[in-house]
Amino acid sequence: MLSKRKVFTLGLQHVMAMYAGAIAVPLIIGNALNLTPEQMAYLIAADMFTCGLATLLQVLGTRYFGSGLPVVLGCTFTAVGPIIAIASTSNLPTAYGAIIVSGIFVVLAAPLYGKLLRFFPKIVTGSVVTIIGLSLIPVAMNNVAGGQGSADFGAPHNLLLAVVTLLVILIVNRVATGFLRSISVLVGLVVGTVLAYAMGMVNFAAVGDASWFRVAQPFYFGTPQFSWIAIATMIIVNIVSMVESTGVYIAVGKATEQKVEQKQIVSGLRSEGLAIVLGGIFNAFPYTAFSQNVGLISLTKVKTRNVIFAAGGIMVVLGLLPKLAALTTVIPSAVLGGAMVVMFGSVAASGMSILGEVNLRNDRNLMIVACSIAIGVGSAVLPAIFAQMPSFLQPLLQNGIVTGSVAAVILNLILSDKRTVDAEESSEEPVVGLGVDASAGVKASTGLE
């Protein structure tokens, strides 16, 4: 029986393992949307608060909600590009309206999950995840240079900070093991920020102005607005997250030496849907199961749910302390950009890892992947090609994830050889074969979801 002190310490370790991934999403989105330091501090605090609630809900395991597995929930990285795109073309309330509706969709669609997955085999999910990663690379490079529109864009000191941050992350990944390796991104951000402080590039004014305590406020950025295009985009993102979470549930089952039943997966996904709705209400983000915490369970051999309960409670408390959240907003754009290079690159690598399990020597499969990625990335990096299209279609066509996903699904239905697909899938485990968690090792080492 673990003592309360040990339960707290192990819970804190789980929080630290996922902290870099948790704060990276609000930092990147807030930075891309030019939010004020006060708004950034709220965004991070609200995210941690909702992460905690979502984790507690997942671990609790009621009749209809929660898998009852020791699973930690955090904001999914696949939502970064879509949220930035929606908020940039409309506003944040529209993005949060889409998040709320997509969360309701996940709750309702969970029982039909098995039927839905047949439209998202590995060749589709792999292509979509690859598109997400590749379309985010320009965001990373803009930050490496100091942030789009900054007075010192491309200055040598910005490039130096980005390179140092990236090198620290790579070195920690290369020489460290276990817990330290799992927080390599966090270590890189800390070292890069310390160097930036020594160079006189860090201002702590926002930390001093932030309050010590604040309860997350519903609809902080305004009353939710609804756009069918934005809603469709977020639903696609959350379908990918549902597939990803399935793989995490199975991995947790193996780590804890228990068989994961279909009912647990459905209840777990319902819980994630409810967490996504909470994220929209409190102006946080969509949530998914974090795979790096699965690795931590395997490493520590501690399988009790009490530890994850402690982790959820710690995150809720952290979310009530805006001053701590404000501390993370002092990170310079160039430092964040250095971390983005490896994080966004890891997203693309995750997609490639999934596609590595697809037979690309088959000409039909090769055409599906090649065309869907080209269409998705092309739409993301050159949206101006749709400038002559009707205005109501432009936001949809200019979103690379949407165009790439639709192209992948349609091309898969038209070109895939059903006999080949059936033969490939019959050699895999029934549920694991459907997961997007082939990249678990990459995500565990970077703190990225």
Side-chain angles (χ1 to χ4, degrees), residues 124 405-415:
V124 174
S405 299
V406 172
V409 170
I410 294 176
L411 288 171
N412 179 62
L413 291 174
I414 296 173
L415 298 178

Side-chain angles (χ1 to χ4, degrees), residues 124-144:
V124 174
T125 53
S127 299
V128 172
V129 175
T130 302
I131 291 167
I132 291 172
L134 294 178
S135 62
L136 285 172
I137 297 300
V139 177
M141 300 313 292
N142 272 322
N143 278 276
V144 165

Side-chain angles (χ1 to χ4, degrees), residues 37 41 203-212 322-330:
N203 186 350
F204 287 98
V207 180
D209 294 339
S211 59
W212 280 103
K323 193 172 288 290
L324 181 62
L327 189 61
T328 61
T329 67
V330 304

Side-chain angles (χ1 to χ4, degrees), residues 44-96:
I44 295 167
D47 178 47
M48 291 305 300
F49 178 76
T50 316
C51 274
L53 290 181
T55 298
L56 293 173
L57 181 64
Q58 182 67 268
V59 180
L60 184 61
T62 64
R63 182 176 179 182
Y64 296 106
F65 293 92
S67 64
L69 296 167
V71 174
V72 176
L73 263 63
C75 40
T76 174
F77 223 82
T78 55
V80 170
I83 291 176
I84 292 174
I86 294 168
S88 298
T89 56
S90 52
N91 51 40
L92 268 174
T94 300
Y96 285 119

